[in-house]
């Protein structure tokens, strides 16, 4: 809920506070509703039993399994395979759990650091790069892995232009290694990819002319669909563009057998369940549900990742530096500014969710203090729980991930190395 903006002028602020005694509508609504509900109270107790006293990223194993089951049920009656976007699941054991539950060995890597780790942890996985990687990085990977038992042909390298295709062809020749090539096409996002059928035809011809390049399929990424006035209409356009590209690829190669026909993301995978052209969908964040994925298409998913922040100090009533004489006026107009809570830190990009009614104090400034009303039940050494807005960057900021099984912290999962 949006809180009313308080007057900046001290005289106006005091006048508004005085008026609020006879006109309660001038006061902001009290958002506090007590302490943690049963779920977060149980999670807090588990963390305290485990001796956790620092900011910690928690994954709920039961909720994770439930989200995996939602995806598996959705894909079961379709021809679509599941590929995991590992940047959104940046811990080997987390990837392993979703692979096992989702029944897949298909992974997507988005940078050279994670690609190296994925190849080491999952040597038999089918890996597709989720973005075209710089030629220098690809050359380094191929040079290192061509002679260490990991086939350089292992990853499907995403290519978005004739110029990049020429770079990759040169890498293949220099290293005498076959490179598998997946062609990215622009299906409406316009962020990259081959822009039209003519460019796709040129790329296919260039790749087939190089004996050391093997075309393995197509990718068409379409997160823009959810921002369209009519997502259904835009999805029809996306599928039509994708279908034309698939038809051209079949004509040029003579067959689609064994090809990777990739599309979708976490937010859009449910829109592809009757897709006549795609062979697989990429999903990552939908398994853990950061706040950016609170979407109508993912209504059956549930949040499975939280940041637990210890409370170091409680200030009640909250007093604001250089504005001490105005404290009573602030509290009169906005009861949600009454109590101040100072956390351990390391918030990540996240939003407080429990106890209800907490928000970062605009008066205190920045993210220095959380504020809440007198109804917020929270004490020193308790935890505030936040939901990350996304998973790929935030998950790497807290060290090992605490795994909550519904009763206890049952495991700790190391993350992949920090990467861009």
């Amino acid at each position: 809920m949006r809180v009313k903006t308080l007057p900046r002028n001290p005289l106006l602020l005091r006048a508004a506070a005085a008026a609020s005694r006879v006109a309660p509508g001038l006061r902001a609504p009290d958002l506090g509703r007590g302490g943690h509900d049963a779920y977060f109270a149980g999670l807090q107790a588990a963390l305290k039993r485990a001796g956790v006293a620092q900011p910690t990223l928690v994954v709920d194993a039961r909720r994770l399994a439930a989200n995996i089951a939602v995806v598996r049920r959705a894909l079961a009656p379709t021809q679509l395979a599941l590929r995991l976007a590992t940047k959104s699941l940046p811990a080997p054991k987390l990837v392993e759990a979703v692979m096992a539950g989702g029944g897949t060995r298909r992974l997507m890597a988005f940078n050279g650091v994670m690609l190296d780790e994925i190849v080491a942890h999952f040597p038999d996985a089918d890996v597709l790069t989720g973005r075209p990687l710089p030629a220098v990085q690809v050359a380094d990977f191929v040079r290192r892995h061509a002679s260490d038992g990991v086939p350089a042909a292992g990853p499907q390298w995403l290519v978005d232009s004739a110029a990049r295709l020429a770079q990759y062809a040169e890498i293949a020749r220099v290293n005498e290694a076959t490179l598998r090539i997946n062609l990215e096409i622009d299906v409406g996002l316009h962020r990259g990819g081959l822009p039209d059928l003519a460019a796709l035809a040129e790329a296919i011809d260039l790749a087939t002319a190089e004996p050391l390049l093997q075309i393995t399929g197509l990718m068409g990424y379409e997160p823009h669909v959810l921002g369209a006035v009519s997502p259904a209409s835009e999805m029809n356009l996306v599928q039509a563009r994708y279908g034309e590209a698939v038809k051209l690829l079949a004509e040029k190669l003579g067959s689609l057998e064994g090809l990777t026909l990739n599309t979708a993301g976490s937010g859009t995978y449910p829109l592809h369940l009757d897709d006549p052209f795609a062979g697989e969908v990429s999903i990552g964040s939908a398994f853990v549900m950061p706040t950016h994925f609170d979407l109508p298409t993912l209504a059956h998913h549930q949040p499975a990742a939280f940041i637990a922040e210890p409370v170091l100090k409680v200030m009640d009533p909250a007093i604001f530096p250089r504005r001490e004489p105005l404290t009573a006026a602030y509290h009169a107009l906005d009861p949600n500014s009454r109590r101040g809570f100072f956390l351990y830190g390391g918030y990540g990009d996240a939003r407080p969710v429990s106890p209800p009614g907490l928000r970062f104090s605009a008066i205190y400034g920045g993210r220095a203090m959380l504020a809440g009303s007198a109804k917020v039940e929270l004490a020193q050494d308790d935890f505030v729980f936040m939901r990350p807005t996304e998973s790929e960057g935030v998950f790497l900021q807290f060290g090992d991930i605490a795994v909550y099984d519904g009763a206890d912290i049952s495991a700790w999962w190391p993350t992949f190395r920090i990467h861009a």
Side-chain angles (χ1 to χ4, degrees), residues 133-194:
L133 297 183
V136 170
Q137 201 167 51
V138 175
D140 177 65
F141 181 94
V142 173
R143 182 172 57 252
R144 286 185 291 106
H145 290 291
S147 60
D148 68 0
V150 177
Q156 297 183 55
W157 301 102
L158 194 66
V159 169
D160 60 341
S161 67
R164 198 178 304 275
L165 191 62
Q167 290 178 319
Y168 286 12
E170 178 63 20
I171 293 169
R173 288 192 290 268
V174 167
N175 291 278
E176 297 181 348
T178 298
L179 269 62
R180 300 199 296 162
I181 301 298
N182 192 290
L183 299 171
E184 182 184 11
I185 56 174
D186 180 7
V187 292
L189 180 60
H190 307 319
R191 190 176 68 185
L194 299 161

Side-chain angles (χ1 to χ4, degrees), residues 308-324:
E309 283 282 353
V311 177
L312 295 184
K313 300 178 183 179
V314 179
M315 181 167 53
D316 188 4
I319 304 172
F320 308 108
R322 302 184 309 281
R323 301 179 185 180
E324 291 86 352

